[in-house]
């Protein structure tokens, strides 16, 4: 081994003065190397291996005398047994103690997960029989400024073989690798992270600093409030609000009292705020192009009986290009009722009802806030994108599709893993602050994920000139289509050549998607009917789903190992859909939270029944969130809105194609006119 080290030093050109004209004697090098930490030794070995190989006489793999074989499969079996890990890079090494390990050979698993790597045992060193080990690597990439791809490899695991192996053949057998596994305990497509384990990925380094910068100014405020609460000296909601930075609605009230509670502002935020959502026409006034409806069916879910969360049916009308609420129908349970489908009393309110109208609007705002957090934000962006992220990481390695999608899928499972305990679950903030129980939230999310599909999706058109969100959405969707088309024009042939990976990506998506969900009302009103009031572009094809025997929410891209006619276009549509929700849609819902959910009395996740009933005024603090929930709400709204890292235009990791960056930058002025600073749109979901 010492002679091997001497040869290594000489081959690398480490010359110096003194004995042997070598900078370090092999004995000194061995002592220095053995003192390094394991991670440092492994890094050095990989750094030196190419130089060592380059200094040797090239050998044809077919002439190498020894071979290592095996098969790599996922830890969890599929319906038909073991699931192969295809196209994984595998390296064979000789482990050494106190000196750099020796690289012996490399190869890739085939479609069945099998590898066969030839090597020369003499590469282990003079007089040294190899201590075999196989190491596994996944691809990473960056883009150069000219759009060319630079590939690197990240080690994800290893398996030790025998020590001092003197034979010319070794079979590692079937190796089960716990790699991007699905959580079998949930009906949703979620990543399995064991209690003792960590996710198979990590945040970019700059994201931690961004989080610290965002949270540091308000962390002490929240801690002070919570300590005062525990000591029995909790400040009231007004004091708590004043301690935090001023949000949009507080500033509006300071400058023009009543402006943030007006009917006009209510409609404006449904068009352009964080609440921006699909506006169906009012089915009860067919043919009226100015009449719209929003409906939130909360009575379908289990509630805690403490908070008041009625069914909310909002009727709206466009008047001179502005949207106004004209009627709000509440389906109110009795206080304390918890069961799904509890009896309700329906009450209708109009602007003529004065204080009760204001209270009804407040309940509607709270309803819209909760629906946004569970639907537009957590469901349609975070959890929806996670299912594509898992399937992509499990299957896309050779296919250039990875270069298009991975920059937008890289961190979503990390933030979702945190949200599983922080926001939802038995002690999550949404569970504690809203009327929905843990079971109610789980059911709602399952219904939501059961209604999202990439096929046929396109942003709904604006309902009026002032519908800035819809106009910005349409512009982003258009530019995203240009980006995806250009990518496929450049790499489409290789995408087709590696269609096996697309097939398995699609199979994983469908197999783990939530069951398609269509509520009874829509089943009766939409499939097979014209229903011109129903906006179809942003929703899954209800006609197709209700006719399938066991429909899944996510449609298959392909069911064959070679693309059939139309399937390349389907794949382009899926890519466009995923990137849209990982970027623009998430940015709009997330970044506006401090503006729309930065004042406790304006909106929150849940109003309590209180002594005077949930329809009492804002002055009744028994209805508002208690002090501990109030300060948590403001802390969370600020943190989510202000923590941003990984912007598309900054392209910090250089993993987004520069063409997309320049395409968005060229239209920055158009986005700014619509109220969006495109520099604030992140390339992926990491908050």
């Amino acid at each position: 081994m010492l002679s091997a080290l001497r040869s290594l030093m000489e081959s690398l050109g480490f010359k110096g003065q003194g004995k042997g004209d070598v900078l370090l004697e092999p004995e000194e090098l061995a002592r220095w190397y053995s003192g390094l930490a394991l991670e440092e030794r492994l890094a050095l070995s990989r750094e030196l291996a190419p130089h060592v190989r380059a200094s040797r006489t090239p050998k044809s793999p077919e002439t190498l005398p020894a071979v290592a074989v095996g098969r790599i499969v996922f830890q969890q079996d599929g319906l038909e047994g073991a699931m192969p890990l295809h196209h994984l890079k595998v390296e064979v090494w000789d482990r050494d103690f106190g000196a750099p390990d020796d690289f012996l050979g490399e190869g890739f698993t085939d479609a069945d997960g099998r590898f066969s790597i030839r090597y020369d045992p003499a590469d282990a060193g003079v007089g040294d029989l190899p201590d075999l080990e196989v190491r596994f690597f996944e691809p990473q990439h960056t883009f150069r400024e000219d759009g060319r791809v630079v590939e690197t490899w990240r080690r994800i695991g290893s398996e030790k073989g025998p020590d001092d192996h003197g034979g010319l053949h070794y079979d590692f057998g079937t190796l089960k690798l716990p790699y991007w596994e699905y959580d079998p305990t949930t009906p949703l497509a979620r990543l399995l992270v064991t209690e003792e384990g960590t996710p198979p990925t990590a945040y970019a380094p700059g994201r931690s600093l961004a989080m610290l910068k965002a949270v540091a100014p308000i962390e002490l405020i929240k801690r002070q409030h919570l300590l005062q609460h525990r000591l029995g000296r909790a400040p009231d909601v007004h004091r708590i609000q004043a301690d935090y930075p001023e949000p949009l609605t507080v500033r509006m009230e300071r400058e023009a009292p009543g402006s943030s509670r007006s009917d006009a502002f209510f409609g404006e935020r449904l068009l352009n705020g964080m609440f921006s959502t699909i506006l169906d026409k009012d089915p009860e006034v067919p043919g009226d192009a100015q009449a719209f409806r929003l409906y939130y069916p909360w009575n379908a879910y289990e509630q805690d009986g403490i908070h008041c969360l009625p069914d909310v049916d909002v009727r709206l009308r466009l008047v001179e290009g502005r949207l106004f609420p004209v009627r709000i129908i509440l389906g109110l349970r009795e206080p304390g009722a918890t069961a799904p489908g509890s009896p309700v009393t329906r009450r209708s309110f109009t602007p003529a009802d004065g204080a009760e109208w204001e209270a009804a609007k407040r309940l509607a705002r709270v309803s819209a806030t909760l629906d946004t957090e569970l639907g537009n934000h957590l469901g349609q962006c975070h959890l929806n994108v996670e299912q594509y992220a898992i399937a992509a990481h499990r299957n896309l390695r050779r296919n250039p599709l990875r270069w298009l999608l991975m920059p937008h899928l890289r961190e979503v499972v990390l933030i979702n893993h945190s949200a599983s305990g922080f926001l939802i679950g038995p002690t999550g903030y949404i569970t504690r602050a809203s009327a929905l129980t843990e079971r109610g939230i789980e059911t709602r999310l399952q219904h939501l994920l059961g209604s999202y599909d990439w096929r046929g999706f396109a942003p709904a058109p604006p309902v009026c000139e002032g519908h800035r969100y819809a106009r910005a959405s349409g512009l982003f969707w258009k530019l995203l289509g240009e980006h995806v088309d250009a990518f496929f024009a450049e790499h489409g042939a290789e995408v087709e050549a590696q269609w096996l990976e697309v097939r398995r990506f699609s199979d994983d998506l469908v197999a783990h998607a939530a069951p398609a969900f269509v509520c009874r009302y829509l089943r009766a009103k939409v499939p097979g009917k014209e229903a011109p009031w129903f906006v179809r572009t942003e929703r899954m094809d209800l006609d197709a789903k209700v006719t399938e025997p066991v429909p899944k929410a996510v449609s298959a891209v392909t069911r064959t190992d070679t693309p059939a006619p139309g399937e390349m276009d389907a794949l382009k549509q899926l890519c466009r859909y995923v990137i849209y929700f990982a970027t623009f849609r998430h940015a709009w819902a997330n970044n506006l939270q401090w503006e729309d959910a930065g004042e406790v009395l304006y909106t929150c996740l849940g109003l309590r029944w209180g002594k005077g009933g949930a329809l009492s005024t804002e002055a009744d603090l028994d209805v508002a969130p208690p002090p501990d929930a109030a300060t948590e709400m403001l802390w969370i709204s600020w943190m989510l809105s202000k923590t941003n890292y990984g912007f598309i235009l900054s392209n910090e990791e250089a993993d987004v194609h520069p063409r997309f960056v320049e395409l968005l930058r060229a239209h920055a002025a158009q986005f700014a006119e619509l109220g969006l600073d495109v520099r604030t749109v992140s390339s992926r979901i990491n908050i």
Side-chain angles (χ1 to χ4, degrees), residues 180-198:
W180 288 91
E181 305 288 346
Y182 287 98
D183 186 345
T185 66
T186 171
L188 305 181
R190 300 297 308 278
L191 181 71
L192 174 64
V193 181
T194 61
E195 185 175 348
E196 300 81 9
T198 57

Side-chain angles (χ1 to χ4, degrees), residues 18 80 103 106 133 253 266 287 375 548 572 598 610 649 680 684:
E80 299 180 358
F103 173 85
E106 66 182 4
E133 179 174 295
E253 288 304 302
F266 182 96
E548 295 177 11
K572 289 164 65 175
L649 266 58
T680 65
R684 70 270 196 181

